[in-house]
């Protein structure tokens, strides 16, 4: 991939900068997804015009017909890293010939199953391995990594504080209850 200015990704950044310069509210974007339960623990999630299936392996009560939620999280992190590496390589003028990313996380199911409340339900640690091939120096690729780590939205969701407000709607409630 080339890293020259005037590339399509840089053009997108420049057009966005112009669009939000006078009105920062134009930078606000809302993404949505809707899900419905399927099978014992599976679900079908629609995001835009796409539907993805989610399931658990048999050891966690599912039929193993699709990736599980934490595998989708790893996929989301990897794909966001790929996009962010591509954008920032172009912005910084860094050439990347090949990019490969692997992520793995440690999960202790005692937290999910409520067997030990001292154990987190989610990943205790996630490790991301990025392999970049190209003609640049190790220092330039380290500069790129720093930019990606500072600007990757899914990484930010993982490492920053993102409030999540849950609204429970049941036929037995007069008003919806907001649970934090």
């Amino acid at each position: 991939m080339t890293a020259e200015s005037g590339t399509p990704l840089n053009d997108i950044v420049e057009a966005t900068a112009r669009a939000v310069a006078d009105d920062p509210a134009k930078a606000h974007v809302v993404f949505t997804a809707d899900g419905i339960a399927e099978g014992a623990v599976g679900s079908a999630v629609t995001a835009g015009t796409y539907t993805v299936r989610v399931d658990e392996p048999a050891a966690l009560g599912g039929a193993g017909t699709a990736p599980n939620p934490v595998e989708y999280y790893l996929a989301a992190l990897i794909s966001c890293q790929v996009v962010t590496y591509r954008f920032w390589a172009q912005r910084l003028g860094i050439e990347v010939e090949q990019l490969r990313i692997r992520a793995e996380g440690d999960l202790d199911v005692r937290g999910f199953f409520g067997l030990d409340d001292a154990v987190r339900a989610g990943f205790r640690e996630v490790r991301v391995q990025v392999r970049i091939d190209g003609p640049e120096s190790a220092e330039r690729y380290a500069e790129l990594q720093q930019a990606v780590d500072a600007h990757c939205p899914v990484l930010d969701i993982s490492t920053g504080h993102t409030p999540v407000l849950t609204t429970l709607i049941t036929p037995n409630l007069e008003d919806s209850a907001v649970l934090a």
Side-chain angles (χ1 to χ4, degrees), residues 41 43 54-56 67-74 123:
V41 295
S43 56
V54 183
D55 199 3
E56 292 286 353
N68 70 21
V70 295
E71 290 168 324
Y72 272 112
Y73 161 78
L74 293 174
F123 284 131

Side-chain angles (χ1 to χ4, degrees), residues 145-169:
Q145 179 193 2
Q146 289 175 341
V148 170
D149 287 350
H151 297 96
C152 177
V154 175
L155 182 61
D156 177 73
I157 291 168
S158 302
T159 59
H161 176 72
T162 303
V164 176
L165 305 174
T166 302
T167 303
L168 177 63
I169 303 170

Side-chain angles (χ1 to χ4, degrees), residues 1 3 15-16 23 39 42 53 57 59 73 78 92 97 111 114-115 127 136 145-146 150 155-156 159 172 178:
M1 84 182 80
T16 301
D23 185 3
R53 295 289 192 280
Y73 161 78
I78 289 169
L92 297 172
E97 292 173 353
L115 302 176
R127 291 170 299 283
E136 305 287 347
Q145 179 193 2
Q146 289 175 341
L155 182 61
D156 177 73
T159 59
N172 298 326
V178 176

Side-chain angles (χ1 to χ4, degrees), residues 74 104-107 120 122-127:
L74 293 174
E104 62 182 16
D106 300 318
L107 188 108
R120 285 186 65 189
F123 284 131
R124 292 185 350 214
E125 179 179 83
V126 173
R127 291 170 299 283

Side-chain angles (χ1 to χ4, degrees), residues 29-35 45-50:
V29 179
V30 176
F31 292 94
T32 62
D34 294 288
V45 178
T46 302
T49 60
Y50 305 99

Side-chain angles (χ1 to χ4, degrees), residues 68-171:
N68 70 21
V70 295
E71 290 168 324
Y72 272 112
Y73 161 78
L74 293 174
L77 178 58
I78 289 169
S79 61
C80 195
Q81 289 268 296
V82 167
V83 169
T84 309
Y85 267 95
R86 288 179 172 168
F87 264 98
W88 280 92
Q90 286 190 9
R91 291 202 60 198
L92 297 172
I94 296 174
E95 187 174 339
V96 175
E97 292 173 353
Q98 186 176 32
L99 177 63
R100 177 170 288 164
I101 301 177
R102 175 183 174 84
E104 62 182 16
D106 300 318
L107 188 108
D108 185 331
V109 297
R110 291 177 300 166
F112 172 71
F113 287 126
L115 302 176
D116 185 344
D117 288 338
V119 174
R120 285 186 65 189
F123 284 131
R124 292 185 350 214
E125 179 179 83
V126 173
R127 291 170 299 283
V128 178
Q129 184 181 58
V130 179
R131 180 177 177 96
I132 298 178
D133 293 317
E136 305 287 347
S137 68
E139 292 79 17
R140 288 289 281 159
Y141 290 130
E143 177 186 359
L144 176 58
Q145 179 193 2
Q146 289 175 341
V148 170
D149 287 350
H151 297 96
C152 177
V154 175
L155 182 61
D156 177 73
I157 291 168
S158 302
T159 59
H161 176 72
T162 303
V164 176
L165 305 174
T166 302
T167 303
L168 177 63
I169 303 170
T170 71

